[in-house]
Amino acid sequence: MARSHAAEIRLIGVEGIPEISPGDDLVTVIASALDAQELSLEDGDILVVTSKIVSKAEGRVIAATDREEAITRETVRLVASRAYPGGVTRIVENRQGIVQAAAGVDASNTPDGTVLLLPEDPDASARALCAGLRQASGARIGIVISDTLGRAWREGQIDAAIGAAGVIVIDDLRGSTDTFGQTLSVTQAATGDELASATDLVKGKATGMPVALVRGLPRLVVDSLDTPARALVRRPEGDMFRLGTDEAHAQGFAEGYGQGLADARRGHRAGARPSRVRLRARSRWNAR
C-alpha cells in the first residue's frame, strides 16, 4: 500500500444520537444525525461507533441481577482474577476473542437494572453498518466499532477496536524504511485501536455522543468490507502474557506436581521390576 503522511486529521463528534432501543436501525439513526449536523459523508471518511449502541440495537440487554452469570457465559478462558471488598474482578477472554475485564459485560450508559453484553459478532455488525451507510451516502467509508479496555502495566482505560469493516486495522510497516533508511522489521501500527482511542477524546464516556467521524485518513479506507478487528487479537503462540501472575504460578505448580508424580510412578515401576527379576532368579537357583 502506498503511504502518504496525514499532516492533519479531523475528529468530529456526531450529535443528536437518541437513546437506542432493540431493533432500531443504526444506519437510519446515524444518517439522520449526520444530516441534522449538516455533515455529508465523503470518500475516505471513517465512523467510529461505540459498541454500546450496537449492543442496544441488537437487543444484547439483560437484567443486572444476571451479570455474574452472564460474565461466566461469555467467558472462554480465565486470564486473571483478583478479590476486592465488593467481589471479584475477572479478566477473561470472551467469546469474541477479546481479553478484557468482565467479558465486556457493562453497566454504564444503560438504564438502571440492566447491563449490556457485547455484540454477538462485532465484525459482522460493522460490515452491515458499513454496507448500509455506503449505500445511503454513496461514499466509500469505513466503520470501527469500539469498546473500552484496560491495559497491562498502565493505569486508566482506552477505547479499542472490537469490530471493523472497510478500514485497515493493522498498518504493516515491516520492510519499509525509517527516516534514516533503516529497515523496519517488527513495526505494525494498530490503526484500528488508534482510531478508536482518538475518537474517544470527542465522544467521551458521559457525553451522550456515541459516534464520531474521522476525516483525513483516506489511505486507511478500502473497498473490501472484510477487514476484521479480530485480526488485532494476538494469537496464543505469540502471547507472552496469556495468564495473570497468580494463574501462571498455579498452572506451573499443577503441571510440575503432575510431572513429578508421573516421574515418581515411572521410577517406582523401573525400580520394582529388577527386584521381581532377582526374586524369580533366586527362586530358580534355590530350586536347583
Side-chain angles (χ1 to χ4, degrees):
M1 178 183 64
R3 297 180 178 87
S4 58
H5 178 68
E8 177 180 307
I9 64 172
R10 295 182 64 197
L11 307 176
I12 307 168
V14 179
E15 302 173 347
I17 303 289
E19 178 61 29
I20 301 298
S21 299
D24 283 351
D25 181 359
L26 289 184
V27 171
T28 300
V29 169
I30 293 172
S32 297
L34 289 166
D35 287 342
Q37 202 168 332
E38 298 183 348
L39 287 171
S40 297
L41 291 175
E42 303 173 0
D43 286 348
D45 282 350
I46 301 168
L47 287 170
V48 180
V49 181
T50 303
S51 64
K52 287 182 176 60
I53 66 169
V54 179
S55 294
K56 290 176 181 179
E58 295 179 356
R60 300 277 286 165
V61 185
I62 63 169
T65 52
D66 297 332
R67 182 173 185 268
E68 292 302 317
E69 181 183 344
I71 294 171
T72 300
R73 286 198 309 268
E74 296 292 304
T75 294
V76 171
R77 177 176 64 88
L78 177 67
V79 175
S81 63
R82 178 163 295 180
Y84 65 96
V88 177
T89 295
R90 285 185 277 173
I91 308 296
V92 306
E93 178 186 339
N94 62 22
R95 292 191 296 110
Q96 292 82 357
I98 304 163
V99 174
Q100 63 184 153
V105 179
D106 198 348
S108 64
N109 288 303
T110 186
D112 286 343
T114 64
V115 294
L116 295 173
L117 310 181
L118 290 180
E120 188 76 31
D121 184 342
D123 284 319
S125 301
R127 289 193 296 271
L129 188 54
C130 192
L133 284 168
R134 283 186 176 188
Q135 183 176 7
S137 66
R140 188 183 75 161
I141 67 158
I143 293 289
V144 170
I145 294 175
S146 67
D147 195 51
T148 304
L149 273 67
R151 301 162 297 159
W153 306 303
R154 300 183 73 82
E155 296 291 347
Q157 297 82 34
I158 62 170
D159 265 25
I162 66 167
V167 177
I168 295 171
V169 296
I170 299 178
D171 192 6
D172 192 346
L173 301 176
R174 293 174 297 180
S176 62
T177 56
D178 64 15
T179 55
F180 292 93
Q182 297 171 345
T183 300
L184 300 175
S185 59
V186 298
T187 303
Q188 298 182 80
T191 46
D193 288 343
E194 290 176 330
L195 288 163
S197 185
T199 53
D200 195 49
L201 295 172
V202 295
K203 291 192 286 105
K205 297 291 182 289
T207 61
M209 193 180 297
V211 179
L213 170 66
V214 181
R215 181 162 287 168
L217 290 170
R219 70 181 181 85
L220 296 181
V221 179
V222 295
D223 290 331
S224 174
L225 299 183
D226 188 19
T227 58
R230 195 171 184 117
L232 288 159
V233 177
R234 195 181 296 276
R235 294 178 180 177
E237 59 270 21
D239 189 353
M240 295 175 65
F241 313 102
R242 193 158 172 78
L243 290 173
T245 304
D246 292 345
E247 287 69 24
H249 180 272
Q251 179 175 303
F253 180 84
E255 290 176 355
Y257 183 74
Q259 186 63 52
L261 285 178
D263 290 345
R265 293 190 184 103
R266 282 196 295 270
H268 176 73
R269 288 194 295 270
R273 196 172 296 116
S275 298
R276 290 196 295 271
V277 171
R278 285 194 297 272
L279 284 172
R280 286 197 296 270
R282 190 177 297 117
S283 297
R284 287 196 297 272
W285 179 264
N286 291 338
R288 291 177 184 176

